[in-house]
Amino acid sequence: MGMFLNSRIPFDSYRATASGRYFVDKTDLINELIPELGMDERFFCITRPRRFGKSVMANMVASFFGKAADASDVFDKLKIASTKSYHDHLNHHDVLYIDFSEIPRDCTNYKDYIDRIQNGINSDLADIYPELDIDISNATWDILTKIYLKTDHSFIFVMDEWDAVFHMPFLTEKDKETYLLFLKSLLKSKRYVELAYMTGVLPIAKYSDGSELNMFKEYNMATRIKFSEYFGFLDTEVDCLYNVYRQTTPNPQITREDLRIWYDGYFTKAGDRIYNPRSIVCALTDNELANYWTSSGTYDSVFSYIKDNVAEVQNDLALLFAGEPISADIQEYAATSMVLETKDEIYSAMVVYGLLTYRDGYVSIPNKELMDSYVAMMKKEKSLVH
């Protein structure tokens, strides 16, 4: 087993998550992927705001399908175990797992970044298929094609944080094009791809208006129904977690209504209420209400969006801070420029980042946690308030 091919890392991570006190079983997602194995519609890109469980779900998919370890002790206890195809697919597939947020030591250029991935995959393949005399200096897609033609073996690709590279300071505009070409060369029209499961914050259309990755079907929280119940916690799931909290926490300090006020307020396209899962788990574990969401990353970029259109957005901000929803036409976030010029483009981006929620034609600040975050961020940007 290698660092990329059938890696133990996602399995160990998911086993730790599944062993936690506040774990929610989302394995029904796997049941939706199994029928697409080897089919034309086998390319999925699921985008969600940060801390909405994307990495947990990527680890789950890799753990279930991959051969890194016997995962029966984890999945035998979960909902997927009751399905007819469970034993046919549990640990029966070769999985290539790529976390695109990881970089080489002292990385300062795109070549070193992408070479780490290509060389790592190539080395793993050479170790697993010594009889094929693989030249690891060749392109990864050429090596995978050779393996497929010689052995008829195919691979499941699980790719987390696909868009992380775009936020790295060393990336040039040319590098962005080269990266998209890399993904196209690795995945598009390749029969060795049994399934491609990719997650990130921003959709492909943010960075590509061409055909490089048009084989992917994209699913976001605001405009697509499919998969919406698997990212974030539903009301009923929070009810169950709160019961566990009450039964296992000495001197509990949090009420169920507290959780709703602080961490609820997101909506899926299907109309389900969604809680930020990381915030719920942290609050129940710490026995304390706090702003856990923004501590997971910096969101100063929102101000660059607002500054591009202060005149139109300024009055809306005052209403949003007062808890009033604002009418907005939220579309698939498809701006190919980092500059967002209209209110609807700005609000669409803020929904994608999880800074606003969208329902029935209106955007709003979801909850107290986000309201407090806005106040803190606005204090840093006094130029935005008069």
Side-chain angles (χ1 to χ4, degrees):
M1 305 306 168
M3 187 166 69
F4 294 91
L5 177 59
N6 295 324
S7 169
R8 282 189 59 93
I9 293 172
F11 169 71
D12 290 341
S13 297
Y14 186 68
R15 181 171 57 182
T17 299
S19 300
R21 192 190 334 174
Y22 300 116
F23 169 71
V24 174
D25 182 352
K26 301 278 189 177
T27 53
D28 282 340
L29 170 67
I30 297 169
N31 232 17
E32 298 202 38
L33 298 177
I34 288 174
E36 305 304 332
L37 292 172
M39 300 292 105
D40 286 344
E41 304 297 331
R42 64 190 186 280
F43 297 90
F44 299 89
C45 180
I46 301 175
T47 56
R48 290 295 186 274
R50 291 181 176 88
R51 302 305 187 183
F52 262 76
K54 298 184 302 298
S55 294
V56 171
M57 299 305 284
N59 290 335
M60 179 190 74
V61 172
S63 301
F64 177 82
F65 287 115
K67 299 175 180 177
D70 180 359
S72 58
D73 65 322
V74 174
F75 289 99
D76 280 353
K77 307 168 188 174
L78 304 180
K79 287 184 282 187
I80 187 66
S82 64
T83 62
K84 293 181 179 179
S85 57
Y86 174 63
H87 291 291
D88 293 335
H89 294 284
L90 178 67
N91 305 140
H92 277 56
H93 300 261
D94 287 309
V95 170
L96 280 163
Y97 175 86
I98 306 172
D99 181 350
F100 284 106
S101 68
E102 295 186 349
I103 61 175
R105 184 179 63 186
D106 302 325
C107 183
T108 58
N109 60 80
Y110 173 74
K111 184 179 184 303
D112 288 347
Y113 167 82
I114 207 67
D115 279 353
R116 171 187 175 272
I117 296 172
Q118 283 212 72
N119 293 339
I121 294 174
N122 293 356
S123 295
D124 287 351
L125 293 170
D127 289 342
I128 298 298
Y129 297 95
E131 72 279 6
L132 298 184
D133 193 26
I134 290 172
D135 182 353
I136 63 172
S137 66
N138 288 340
T140 300
W141 43 92
D142 288 338
I143 294 174
L144 287 166
T145 298
K146 178 180 179 179
I147 292 171
Y148 176 75
L149 292 174
K150 295 286 187 180
T151 68
D152 202 32
H153 290 176
S154 56
F155 301 83
I156 290 176
F157 288 76
V158 177
M159 297 163 286
D160 197 17
E161 304 277 5
W162 89 272
D163 56 334
V165 65
F166 292 105
H167 304 289
M168 295 176 183
F170 54 76
L171 202 74
T172 67
E173 290 302 314
K174 180 63 176 176
D175 291 336
K176 294 178 185 179
E177 297 175 5
T178 304
Y179 174 65
L180 292 173
L181 181 60
F182 164 76
L183 291 177
K184 174 185 177 182
S185 301
L186 182 66
L187 300 169
K188 190 170 184 178
S189 301
K190 298 297 193 292
R191 291 313 312 173
Y192 58 70
V193 178
E194 189 175 17
L195 177 78
Y197 178 91
M198 187 163 78
T199 72
V201 175
L202 297 179
I204 293 167
K206 169 64 181 174
Y207 299 106
S208 170
D209 59 355
S211 62
E212 296 98 339
L213 301 179
N214 62 0
M215 67 285 199
F216 277 95
K217 291 193 293 183
E218 296 193 63
Y219 300 89
N220 65 34
M221 188 163 65
T223 65
R224 300 298 303 274
I225 292 176
K226 191 175 178 65
F227 300 128
S228 60
E229 67 269 37
Y230 303 125
F231 298 85
F233 290 160
L234 301 173
D235 246 335
T236 54
E237 293 168 341
V238 175
D239 287 342
C240 293
L241 297 181
Y242 186 71
N243 287 336
V244 172
Y245 162 78
R246 291 285 301 176
Q247 294 168 12
T248 61
T249 304
N251 191 25
Q253 299 296 307
I254 301 172
T255 68
R256 179 64 177 85
E257 180 66 6
D258 287 336
L259 295 180
R260 186 193 65 77
I261 293 170
W262 271 80
Y263 308 119
D264 189 13
Y266 295 96
F267 293 91
T268 69
K269 175 65 175 177
D272 295 320
R273 303 182 71 93
I274 292 289
Y275 293 71
N276 183 315
R278 179 179 187 272
S279 298
I280 289 291
V281 171
C282 287
L284 296 181
T285 301
D286 292 351
N287 194 22
E288 180 180 4
L289 298 167
N291 190 335
Y292 299 101
W293 190 83
T294 53
S295 67
S296 66
T298 58
Y299 294 88
D300 292 339
S301 58
V302 65
F303 292 108
S304 68
Y305 302 148
I306 295 174
K307 286 176 180 176
D308 288 334
N309 202 327
V310 172
E312 288 191 62
V313 176
Q314 188 74 73
N315 291 336
D316 286 356
L317 286 176
L319 292 173
L320 287 168
F321 290 155
E324 295 292 328
I326 299 296
S327 176
D329 181 15
I330 300 301
Q331 304 295 328
E332 297 280 353
Y333 182 37
T336 56
S337 168
M338 292 306 291
V339 177
L340 306 174
E341 297 179 345
T342 70
K343 280 204 310 182
D344 287 335
E345 286 177 340
I346 292 170
Y347 293 151
S348 294
M350 293 170 74
V351 168
V352 166
Y353 276 111
L355 296 164
L356 294 175
T357 190
Y358 176 71
R359 188 186 191 193
D360 298 333
Y362 290 86
V363 294
S364 59
I365 298 174
N367 49 45
K368 179 171 171 37
E369 182 179 39
L370 263 294
M371 187 70 77
D372 288 355
S373 302
Y374 269 99
V375 171
M377 288 190 287
M378 294 299 285
K379 287 179 179 178
K380 297 180 182 178
E381 298 289 337
K382 294 181 180 178
S383 61
L384 291 178
V385 261
H386 303 295

